[in-house]
Amino acid sequence: MKNYYLKNVVTLQFDEKRCMGCGMCVTVCPRGVFQMNGKKAMLVDRDACMECGACEKNCPFSAISVNAGVGCAYAVIKGALTGNEPNCCCSSSGEGKNTCC
Amino acid sequence: MSGENYNTCCSGDKQESTKDKYSMGEGQFVTFPLYTPYKEDTPVKDEKEEIFNYYQDFIIDFLETPSGKVPVVDTEIHFEDKIGSWKVRWGIGRFNYRVRPGLYAVGRPNENSLIYVTANYKMSFDRLRKSLSGLNGWIMVLDTDGINVWCAAGKGTFGTDELIRRIELTGIKKIVSHRLLILPQLSAPGVSAHEVFVKTGFKVIYGPVKAEDIKRFLDNGMKATEDMRTVNFDFLDRVVLIPMELVQSIKYILIFIIIMLILHLGDVIKFRFSYIYPFIGAVTTGSVITPALLPWIPGKAFSFKGWVMGLLWAIFVIYKQGIFDMEKLSVTLAVILFLPALSSFLAFNFTGASTYTSLSGVKKEMKIAVPLMITSALTGMVVGITGHFLKF
Ligand code: SF4
Ligand code: SF4
């Protein structure tokens, strides 16, 4: 079962003109956001994106951009209070929490 | 050359099977040095300190390679490993649960064996070595400060630079003849596959999200199917996180017990469980029940889901305590304003543990929900406390 978070909030941008159809984004995305459509990639489930940044990092042709970060309330609140960018709080724990804090 | 095994330092035979590792005599075992004499960038400062910082008990043998001796690891997870994981889940001494970065061998790998890359977080490593049982392969452990793959990738410690550095440090190029690296899918946010290829000649292949799927992945011609690639965050995935949530929320419960004790200083003797169970319930609702039932609760925003559940709890409390009557209006109001806000906040915190929330989404939720929560909780508190003293 696929869970969805808020609609229309993610910063993911895909520039089809730059896409060379290598398929890397489809492979790396843990949320099934991209699919191949002939020789180009295609955004099929934008709202599923969790802004992890894997696609941007692994697109050899810089066709994707996303403001990557962790969707973690603790980090965002801390970031807002200290005026810094939200930073993952992993350093204090190994994995008890899967994603971040 | 291909197919030939490197000699192992204890048994010179060419057995492919991993089973022969158990035939090793005890006397032979103690003759091995405690430390892996293979190349490592950070010199060992204090031997004892090293023993305590790294959990290396899984080394059962050493393998001679052109780049030095490589430790062979056990693919069985023992009781101590399980205790370790259990402690991590409950938040007991979870620091330094790390494996020494470097190269390891599974079974009797040769120059054609595949290389699996992982983080030096002991649980990530354990899962990998367990999933590789019966196979021959190399494990390359990156230095991620003892943090799991996903977190480390997000931070960049499981990243392109560390991977390139580790490829050099381990001398893996002299050990294998191929140029393939299998990385966990969840390391992709930190690693740029094309950059690694340009700089080292190694082609990065992203494997499955879960190490348990590695054999299926290999059988599938080293292609991760969609279900191996995607993260779903099912009921069980959420449930394993609950102990940690619970441990973290105990402190909130303690705070409320103290506040209630102070409020009832006059008649401590009359202090009853009914004064504190509403808080315990609200905390549990936000940090345990909401996460467990997440997809079935209406709404998309975690704070809203938590608020809905908190409201249900508040209604239950009001019903149970029979505080519908106007005499206890302040208590009723305080319950309805405070408890849902508390659950909402704790549920919102669970976004950090979930595996599908985005930064932009959390930011949006924070802008809208957090001010509401604070207003509601503060009003509830003020009403409750003034009501308590003015008796309305
Ligand atoms: S990784 Fe980039 S170039 Fe390759 S298919 Fe995706 S968008 Fe296109
Ligand atoms: S940022 Fe992550 S979740 Fe979003 S599309 Fe890219 S790979 Fe998928």
Side-chain angles (χ1 to χ4, degrees), chain A residues 21-33:
Chain A
C22 68
M24 208 52 188
C25 51
V26 181
T27 311
V28 297
C29 178
R31 298 282 298 153
V33 172

Side-chain angles (χ1 to χ4, degrees), chain A residues 1-7 9-11 24 26-32 35 48-54 57-60 67-74 76-77 80 85-88 90-101, chain B residues 88-89 94-95 121 123 127 146-148 150-151 155 160 185-186 188-194 206 229-234 241 244-245 248 295 300-302 345 348-349 351-366:
Chain A
M1 183 163 135
K2 200 160 175 177
N3 296 299
Y4 284 94
Y5 193 40
L6 310 185
K7 276 189 169 30
V9 285
V10 292
T11 52
M24 208 52 188
V26 181
T27 311
V28 297
C29 178
R31 298 282 298 153
Q35 248 172 39
C49 173
M50 58 171 172
E51 301 183 319
C52 70
K57 194 115 195 172
N58 282 281
C59 172
N67 183 12
V70 284
C72 164
Y74 179 77
V76 171
I77 293 173
E85 263 300 289
N87 191 357
C88 186
C90 295
S91 51
S92 59
S93 64
E95 192 191 38
K97 292 194 168 188
N98 255 341
T99 319
C100 135
C101 314
Chain B
V88 170
R89 291 235 180 278
R94 54 204 158 114
F95 304 100
Y121 178 53
M123 271 164 82
R127 266 188 223 124
I147 291 167
N148 72 63
W150 171 252
C151 283
K155 288 189 137 201
T160 314
Q185 154 95 24
L186 289 184
V191 178
S192 171
H194 52 276
Y206 290 108
R229 279 202 310 258
T230 43
V231 177
N232 278 328
F233 207 45
D234 293 327
L241 299 176
M244 181 66 79
E245 297 293 318
Q248 282 174 353
K300 295 262 181 247
F302 282 42
F345 179 72
F348 179 44
N349 252 323
T351 49
S354 80
T355 52
Y356 66 95
T357 50
S358 60
L359 175 60
S360 306
V362 171
K363 277 185 176 162
K364 183 174 172 187
E365 222 183 301
M366 189 179 83

Side-chain angles (χ1 to χ4, degrees), chain B residues 256 278-291 302-314 335 337-350 373 377:
Chain B
F256 294 121
F279 298 108
I280 299 177
V283 169
T284 323
T285 303
S287 58
V288 177
I289 312 223
T290 310
F302 282 42
S303 49
F304 181 76
K305 287 171 187 276
W307 185 79
V308 169
M309 296 308 281
L311 191 63
L312 289 179
W313 172 250
V335 164
L337 285 169
F338 189 81
L339 298 185
L342 177 62
S343 304
S344 172
F345 179 72
L346 291 168
F348 179 44
N349 252 323
F350 193 67
M373 281 175 212

Side-chain angles (χ1 to χ4, degrees), chain A residues 14 18-26 36 41 58-61 63-64:
Chain A
F14 168 56
R18 288 180 170 218
C19 174
M20 302 298 276
C22 68
M24 208 52 188
C25 51
V26 181
M36 290 311 285
N58 282 281
C59 172
F61 305 98
I64 304 170

Side-chain angles (χ1 to χ4, degrees), chain B residues 7 19 61 158 171 189 195 264 283 300 308 319 355-356 377 385:
Chain B
N7 285 335
K19 290 193 187 81
D61 195 354
F158 194 126
E195 214 180 309
H264 292 88
V283 169
K300 295 262 181 247
V308 169
Y319 170 76
T355 52
Y356 66 95
I385 294 175

Side-chain angles (χ1 to χ4, degrees), chain B residues 253-266:
Chain B
I253 295 177
L254 286 178
I255 293 172
F256 294 121
I257 293 180
I258 292 168
I259 293 178
M260 291 312 276
L261 272 175
I262 294 171
L263 282 181
H264 292 88
L265 266 187

Side-chain angles (χ1 to χ4, degrees), chain B residues 69-351:
Chain B
K69 278 181 189 169
V70 172
V72 179
V73 301
D74 195 351
T75 55
E76 208 157 296
I77 304 297
H78 295 286
F79 185 64
E80 301 84 70
D81 300 314
K82 288 199 183 125
I83 288 279
S85 320
W86 181 85
K87 273 163 63 181
V88 170
R89 291 235 180 278
W90 285 90
I92 308 166
R94 54 204 158 114
F95 304 100
N96 279 326
Y97 200 52
R98 50 180 80 183
V99 174
R100 175 192 269 262
L103 194 66
Y104 296 86
V106 174
R108 289 285 173 270
N110 61 31
E111 52 169 27
N112 293 320
S113 302
L114 291 166
I115 307 160
Y116 305 88
V117 183
T118 191
N120 77 327
Y121 178 53
K122 174 87 171 8
M123 271 164 82
S124 308
F125 181 78
D126 277 357
R127 266 188 223 124
L128 179 62
R129 67 187 166 101
K130 186 177 160 209
S131 327
L132 292 177
S133 73
L135 298 174
N136 297 318
W138 304 100
I139 296 181
M140 188 188 283
V141 178
L142 301 189
D143 188 357
T144 61
D145 297 327
I147 291 167
N148 72 63
V149 174
W150 171 252
C151 283
K155 288 189 137 201
T157 43
F158 194 126
T160 314
D161 294 342
E162 164 63 10
L163 181 57
I164 293 172
R165 205 170 74 96
R166 200 54 60 185
I167 290 172
E168 294 311 319
L169 284 171
T170 51
I172 188 75
K173 282 184 175 169
K174 281 188 274 170
I175 301 179
V176 294
S177 55
H178 63 81
R179 290 293 177 263
L180 287 179
L181 291 174
I182 297 179
L183 266 66
Q185 154 95 24
L186 289 184
S187 68
V191 178
S192 171
H194 52 276
E195 214 180 309
V196 173
F197 181 71
V198 170
K199 296 204 172 132
T200 65
F202 274 95
K203 185 173 173 335
V204 168
I205 297 176
Y206 290 108
V209 167
K210 294 192 179 115
E212 295 85 72
D213 285 335
I214 280 183
K215 282 178 186 157
R216 281 207 295 143
F217 164 81
L218 296 175
D219 291 342
N220 197 30
M222 289 217 270
K223 278 205 170 57
T225 58
E226 179 143 1
D227 71 298
M228 290 184 220
R229 279 202 310 258
T230 43
V231 177
N232 278 328
F233 207 45
D234 293 327
F235 185 69
L236 279 179
D237 299 333
R238 296 194 301 272
V239 168
V240 295
L241 299 176
I242 285 175
M244 181 66 79
E245 297 293 318
L246 207 58
V247 168
Q248 282 174 353
S249 48
I250 282 173
K251 60 173 182 280
Y252 295 104
I253 295 177
L254 286 178
I255 293 172
F256 294 121
I257 293 180
I258 292 168
I259 293 178
M260 291 312 276
L261 272 175
I262 294 171
L263 282 181
H264 292 88
L265 266 187
D267 47 0
V268 183
I269 302 130
K270 269 169 62 192
F271 192 78
R272 282 173 305 180
F273 183 61
S274 61
Y275 294 161
I276 45 169
Y277 89 79
F279 298 108
I280 299 177
V283 169
T284 323
T285 303
S287 58
V288 177
I289 312 223
T290 310
L293 302 178
L294 203 58
W296 302 292
I297 303 170
K300 295 262 181 247
F302 282 42
S303 49
F304 181 76
K305 287 171 187 276
W307 185 79
V308 169
M309 296 308 281
L311 191 63
L312 289 179
W313 172 250
I315 291 169
F316 173 79
V317 168
I318 292 171
Y319 170 76
K320 210 48 204 170
Q321 304 220 5
I323 41 182
F324 280 115
D325 50 7
M326 292 317 248
E327 245 173 84
K328 292 171 186 160
L329 182 65
S330 68
V331 186
T332 311
L333 272 177
V335 164
I336 217 90
L337 285 169
F338 189 81
L339 298 185
L342 177 62
S343 304
S344 172
F345 179 72
L346 291 168
F348 179 44
N349 252 323
F350 193 67
T351 49

